[in-house]
Amino acid sequence: MTGKKDLLAVLDFYLVTDSGLSKKGTLSDVQEAVAAGCRIVQYREKNKSTKEMVAEASQIKSICGADAIFLVNDRIDVALAVDADGVHIGQEDMPIDIARAILGADKIIGLTVHNISEAIEAERSGADYVGLSPIFDTATKSDAGTGIGTERIKDVKNAINIPVVAIGGINKQNCRSVIENGADSLVAISAVVCSDDVKRETQELIAVIKSASGRIC
Ligand code: TZP
Ligand code: MG
């Protein structure tokens, strides 16, 4: 097991990059979030060439260092190219058993799920965590679907034994209820990368998450 897998047990805020929405750019967002205490970063890039992605992923890996898990969204080839800590994939991406065979047992694989049955199947097939999506309606991902609401988080959490990361429409105002309803960690893309101060926004989110989960701040 990579040492990084242990960090999955103590996640709070989870940064997903979005160069289309970012005010100051992906590298700046990662730097500020990690400086604020974020311990997991997912490089999600839909608009750059593979060459650009490999170069940027390599820089993000350096910023994450030993402090933060570094995952690549969808692109197993890019994750392998830079020796990232793992990938995050969706239901329509590379099947998880094939992703695991390519990446090996040590790498982290997160899988997006939308309901209990997908979550149970994700755990059975070897996912290290699930991303439960979308909790609220969101404009950030056009095909995300309708928000499932915070009550569903509990049902998914109670059905599996791997961490549940909530995503979709989450911000400082509603993140407490997301954690109180059982999420281990949460993503807030637009709330963070569209803010003027990514570091402060991340610090404030982490403080609310820690207080809502009963962890000492
Ligand atoms: N996957 C499910 S919802 C979503 C992704 C990538 C977008 C979440 O963005 P925001 O701005 O936090 O609603
Ligand atoms: Mg995907």
Side-chain angles (χ1 to χ4, degrees):
M1 185 194 269
T2 70
K4 295 276 188 79
K5 274 203 187 189
D6 298 340
L7 285 178
L8 285 174
V10 292
L11 296 180
D12 32 57
F13 175 70
Y14 179 140
L15 180 76
V16 175
T17 68
D18 189 320
S19 61
L21 288 178
S22 173
K23 271 201 174 160
K24 294 190 187 147
T26 291
L27 290 179
S28 164
D29 292 343
V30 173
Q31 243 148 9
E32 293 193 30
V34 170
C38 169
R39 280 176 290 189
I40 182 162
V41 173
Q42 181 194 131
Y43 179 44
R44 182 172 182 270
E45 179 53 64
K46 305 289 186 187
N47 300 312
K48 291 186 181 159
S49 69
T50 299
K51 191 174 178 178
E52 288 173 303
M53 282 188 70
V54 168
E56 198 161 52
S58 167
Q59 289 174 284
I60 296 173
K61 182 184 166 177
S62 306
I63 299 166
C64 289
D67 298 331
I69 293 169
F70 171 47
L71 306 180
V72 178
N73 178 276
D74 285 358
R75 296 287 303 269
I76 293 175
D77 56 340
V78 174
L80 284 172
V82 302
D83 192 24
D85 298 310
V87 295
H88 183 92
I89 53 180
Q91 294 287 324
E92 305 305 320
D93 296 322
M94 180 78 73
I96 188 167
D97 52 336
I98 301 178
R100 179 62 75 197
I102 294 170
L103 289 165
D106 286 351
K107 295 294 186 193
I108 293 168
I109 302 181
L111 184 65
T112 294
V113 303
H114 308 93
N115 51 50
I116 295 178
S117 55
E118 286 180 359
I120 291 170
E121 179 55 20
E123 181 175 31
R124 195 204 58 75
S125 54
D128 295 295
Y129 74 89
V130 296
L132 181 60
S133 154
I135 307 303
F136 304 107
D137 292 353
T138 176
T140 303
K141 187 175 194 286
S142 57
D143 61 352
T146 306
I148 59 172
T150 50
E151 281 292 310
R152 295 276 80 76
I153 304 171
K154 267 188 204 128
D155 301 336
V156 168
K157 178 69 188 162
N158 289 333
I160 57 176
N161 295 298
I162 52 177
V164 176
V165 178
I167 183 167
I170 300 172
N171 54 43
K172 229 166 27 199
Q173 285 67 47
N174 61 24
C175 70
R176 174 170 286 277
S177 75
V178 170
I179 297 296
E180 286 176 347
N181 278 284
D184 297 286
S185 172
L186 59 82
V187 175
I189 300 182
S190 47
V192 169
V193 307
C194 298
S195 81
D196 289 322
D197 190 336
V198 168
K199 186 172 176 192
R200 196 188 58 211
E201 199 66 22
T202 305
Q203 282 168 333
E204 290 177 2
L205 275 161
I206 290 174
V208 179
I209 295 165
K210 284 189 163 152
S211 118
S213 66
R215 290 184 214 150
I216 295 156
C217 195

